[in-house]
Amino acid sequence: MPLDDLRRMFDHWGDVTGEPGGVDYIEVDAGGIPAMWAVPKNCDPDRVVQCTHGGGYVTGSMYTHRKVYGHFAKAIGCRALIPDYRRAPEHVHPAPVDDATRSYRWLLDQGIRPQHVAFTGDSAGGALAVTTLLRAREQRLPSPAATMPLSPWLDMEAAAPTFSSNRDRDALVQREIVLGMASTFLGEGGNPKDSLANPLLADLRGLPPMYIQVGGDETLLDDSRALADKARRAGVDVTLEIEPEMQHVYHFLAGRAPEADAAIGRLATWVRPKLGLG
């Protein structure tokens, strides 16, 4: 499918998500990065979850993910910031991780304390919820309180066994698609073993607590398992939750499917005390 057609199709990604209600959306310049605030009524303005959207680094935007991260913000009781990072092929790796890190630096510059920030993201954005931590560490920025990768796509070489074992159950993600997006994201001569593209190859020591959610029917299931194992070995406090029979980023059914709402509720319950919310 031509890129423009693919993007137009994915512009409707958020159509399946129910409106959370009681959430205002405000576009903002986050230190040179276009971004969107999702602001629930009566939320704590001093706590923020930075949400990096999925789409294989090629599709998706702050608009496609507005509603799903509105649900997250409402459940947690804080503001959500959705950076509209640069996408491939116009801007290849490491543009997305640099933009997400720049957005996080902007939050700190606004006076938000690092212990009052959490990261989350879905698919490619789930990887960014980890690689942004690594880039921030390189830049000597303080660590946020927690991170919550959702169905993260990590391995640029798509070598995991679940690409075969879950092939007939996953309705959305296949190995051929992943390899095509990886090639586009990395660019000509790009390195699939770059740890800022695949954090499974990074030193994860010192990262904040991590809560990973993934569907049991996903071809990307092993990426989440590998991330949890690698982080635990590095001494990170990790929770891995595999939801049986669920598809890739099933959270998009928030407001329409009880499984999605319950998953977001569990994440909110876990992260609220880490952000200092009662």
Side-chain angles (χ1 to χ4, degrees):
M1 184 181 294
L3 179 60
D4 287 345
D5 291 345
L6 186 69
R7 285 177 171 168
R8 276 193 291 270
M9 181 179 73
F10 275 95
D11 281 346
H12 293 277
W13 199 348
D15 292 358
V16 300
T17 311
E19 281 287 358
V23 179
D24 294 326
Y25 301 95
I26 304 164
E27 294 189 38
V28 65
D29 182 323
I33 309 302
M36 181 182 291
W37 283 115
V39 186
K41 304 297 185 187
N42 302 315
C43 73
D44 189 321
D46 296 324
R47 270 67 171 179
V48 176
V49 57
Q50 176 167 294
C51 310
T52 41
H53 69 79
Y57 302 105
V58 174
T59 69
S61 70
M62 61 186 180
Y63 304 108
T64 60
H65 286 60
R66 166 185 69 83
K67 289 187 288 183
V68 68
Y69 288 128
H71 281 279
F72 272 74
K74 188 174 180 180
I76 297 168
C78 70
R79 295 187 292 167
L81 183 69
I82 313 167
D84 211 32
Y85 59 82
R86 291 171 292 170
R87 302 177 301 188
E90 295 90 344
H91 304 281
V92 298
H93 177 68
V97 68
D98 285 341
D99 288 358
T101 307
R102 190 171 177 180
S103 171
Y104 176 52
R105 182 188 291 274
W106 176 80
L107 281 175
L108 301 179
D109 290 344
Q110 301 307 297
I112 303 296
R113 296 179 179 179
Q115 62 266 34
H116 292 164
V117 179
F119 290 170
T120 192
D122 61 285
S123 195
L128 285 172
V130 181
T131 56
T132 304
L133 298 171
L134 302 174
R135 186 62 116 191
R137 184 174 67 188
E138 285 182 358
Q139 297 180 5
R140 301 187 181 277
L141 296 175
S143 175
T147 188
M148 300 174 286
L150 314 173
S151 301
W153 166 38
L154 309 170
D155 182 5
M156 296 286 107
E157 297 174 289
T162 46
F163 274 103
S164 298
S165 61
N166 277 352
R167 182 178 181 88
D168 294 336
R169 287 189 288 271
D170 193 317
L172 298 171
V173 180
Q174 298 297 328
R175 187 171 189 268
E176 297 79 7
I177 295 170
V178 166
L179 290 175
M181 287 184 163
S183 176
T184 303
F185 165 59
L186 294 170
E188 186 175 355
N191 180 11
K193 297 187 182 300
D194 184 337
S195 61
L196 285 177
N198 178 4
L200 296 177
L201 304 174
D203 179 359
L204 304 183
R205 288 175 295 180
L207 295 193
M210 183 182 299
Y211 191 151
I212 308 164
Q213 288 183 334
V214 63
D217 282 358
E218 295 194 43
T219 57
L220 289 171
L221 173 57
D222 277 345
D223 276 22
S224 289
R225 288 171 170 161
L227 176 61
D229 289 345
K230 172 102 176 181
R232 286 191 186 110
R233 290 197 302 270
V236 179
D237 178 5
V238 180
T239 300
L240 171 64
E241 184 177 282
I242 302 171
E243 189 74 9
E245 300 181 350
M246 286 293 104
Q247 292 285 326
H248 186 56
V249 197
Y250 62 95
H251 311 77
F252 255 88
L253 294 173
R256 301 193 189 278
E259 295 88 348
D261 293 335
I264 293 170
R266 291 191 296 273
L267 288 167
T269 298
W270 177 83
V271 80
R272 281 177 58 84
K274 291 173 173 54
L275 294 174
L277 293 168

